[in-house]
Amino acid sequence: MATTMLADVDRLTDRAVDDIRAHSGTYAADAPVTRDDLWEICRDNLLRALEDFGGLAPTGGDFEWAARETGRRRAEQGVPLDTVLQAYRRGGRVLWQVMAEHLRARAGREADSRDVELDMASGVWETIDRYSVAMADAYRLAQLELQSRQDTRRVALFEALLDGRADDPAVASAAAAALGVPAYDRYVVVVAAQDPAAPPHPAPVLEARGMWSYWRPRSGRYAGIVRLPRRDTPAGGPASGPRGSADPAAGALLDVLRELTGATAGISPEFERLSHAGRALRLAEQTLRTLPAGSGEAAAFDDRLAQVLLSGRADIAERIVTVHLGPVLATGGERAALLTTLRVWLDHGCSAARAAELLYCHRNTVLNRIGRIAELTGRSSESGEARLGWALALRALPYAGLGDSPEPAAGEYEVGGT
């Protein structure tokens, strides 16, 4: 039977191809698998199957070669595995139909021909099953290899973006395609410290909030590009910063990083062109450097401008502190209470009443402390120039190398005394 059918394998292939295309929209569409491609693969599979079924010497390669080649090629073409397995079942059905036709047409059919047909049917489907398993194994292996190559390419192009090599339009276009995002959209770069208590990177948490991101470890930190949802700002309306109510997406990113990841992270300003990720990375790194290590705090570059400027120049930071708050630092026991009161007073509109509420003391206590600072520094508390100098000096303290602790987080304003 196998020898007889091998002599007419081209016609058998035509029949199998027509049946597969009649029952599969993927194959009927001629893309990504053309009819010639399908015909070639079908012929190889039928040829090997008949040789194996009939116990004949293989004419090329082992009996599973065609199945493995099918799996590899279809994986590379992106044809779903279920679609390929369905094509195998259709091909097996056609193979059995032709065999049954040969059996029924032969002269002098034995009385036990039905038993023979049943035995042959079992053999045909056993062969098809073996081929299907070999094809599926090769398909999955090819998928893993393709995924590995794609991941390697994606990482390389992501690094090219962060290294500032995407000024080349070809690199920028390839990176956008590899990452699966537009070359122009709303993006920020986030640099997160690898805090022990934080997850490896925030991608799953951000994805759950509808934000695409891609992350890689980089110099002991995690760097990521985050795609923000489109801003629903009325035409002509102002573009707000991360804390602005007109841009909830940027605010949501800050909230997620602070509340759900536990990572200490710096966020770059928003940019439109993916090719600008390199510059944004540097700004995000500068922002991160202004945050206390392990604090779990996240901050946007635009909200840390003074700190970014001061953190890179310890000599200037020290001079600012010395000029504007030097006498206060020299007071010894008064120092902590005076600095904390000044910070709260400045942060709340220079309101003694509001500062007193937060510090759990009397309004007159706040006024007395501010007056003491004015006396020590020789500056009037009513002077805008003095207030600016004091505020800048307070922000410069963590970078001045004078042994003072970093600026406190919200809620750390309690001071003893009344």
Side-chain angles (χ1 to χ4, degrees), residues 310-388:
L310 294 166
S311 64
R313 293 297 304 270
D315 54 341
I316 294 178
E318 180 179 353
R319 190 59 188 165
I320 290 173
V321 172
T322 301
V323 168
H324 292 281
L325 288 178
V328 177
L329 299 182
T331 58
E334 289 184 273
R335 168 174 158 167
L338 293 177
L339 290 178
T340 302
T341 301
L342 178 62
R343 180 180 286 114
V344 177
W345 182 71
L346 288 170
D347 286 349
H348 292 84
C350 300
S351 167
R354 180 62 179 142
E357 290 178 13
L358 293 169
L359 295 169
Y360 302 104
C361 65
H362 195 276
R363 176 177 176 274
N364 288 340
T365 301
V366 173
L367 292 174
N368 288 337
R369 289 175 182 166
I370 298 302
R372 176 67 172 149
I373 294 169
E375 178 187 353
L376 288 168
T377 60
R379 301 170 187 270
S380 170
S381 62
E382 300 298 320
S383 166
E385 187 70 20
R387 293 178 179 182
L388 174 61

Side-chain angles (χ1 to χ4, degrees), residues 110-296:
E110 296 88 349
D112 62 350
S113 61
R114 182 167 295 279
D115 291 336
V116 174
E117 291 176 12
L118 291 174
D119 289 341
M120 289 185 64
S122 175
V124 167
W125 288 110
E126 180 182 346
T127 300
I128 296 301
D129 284 345
R130 289 164 63 197
Y131 271 61
S132 296
V133 169
M135 183 278 298
D137 287 345
Y139 183 102
R140 295 188 182 100
L141 180 60
Q143 264 195 329
L144 290 174
E145 292 172 349
L146 286 169
Q147 186 63 50
S148 177
R149 291 201 295 268
Q150 289 169 355
D151 288 345
T152 300
R153 174 177 170 78
R154 189 178 295 115
V155 168
L157 288 166
F158 178 75
E159 291 295 332
L161 285 175
L162 297 187
D163 288 341
R165 288 180 279 141
D167 288 339
D168 182 343
V171 174
S173 177
L179 294 173
V181 292
Y184 293 85
D185 209 327
R186 295 187 67 201
Y187 295 107
V188 293
V189 168
V190 180
V191 177
Q194 293 180 328
D195 297 334
H201 55 70
V205 177
L206 292 175
E207 184 177 2
R209 298 301 187 279
M211 296 183 196
W212 173 93
S213 64
Y214 185 82
W215 299 79
R216 290 291 301 171
R218 190 179 175 90
S219 302
R221 298 167 178 170
Y222 278 98
I225 296 177
V226 180
R227 182 186 181 192
L228 299 176
R230 299 304 301 173
R231 182 190 289 115
D232 295 325
T233 302
S240 62
R243 300 179 188 274
S245 60
D247 186 12
L253 173 60
L254 271 172
D255 291 341
V256 169
L257 291 173
R258 288 170 176 160
E259 300 170 12
L260 301 180
T261 71
T264 307
I267 306 172
S268 76
E270 181 183 324
F271 57 98
E272 281 192 351
R273 295 176 59 181
L274 199 58
S275 58
H276 290 171
R279 177 178 180 273
L281 172 71
R282 294 191 294 274
L283 300 182
E285 288 175 334
Q286 291 172 3
T287 308
L288 178 62
R289 284 197 291 269
T290 70
L291 300 174
S295 65

Side-chain angles (χ1 to χ4, degrees), residues 1 15 94 96-106:
M1 176 67 72
R15 184 165 169 177
V94 169
W96 168 242
Q97 286 175 343
V98 174
M99 285 184 170
E101 291 167 4
H102 274 275
L103 284 172
R104 295 189 186 99
R106 68 192 175 114

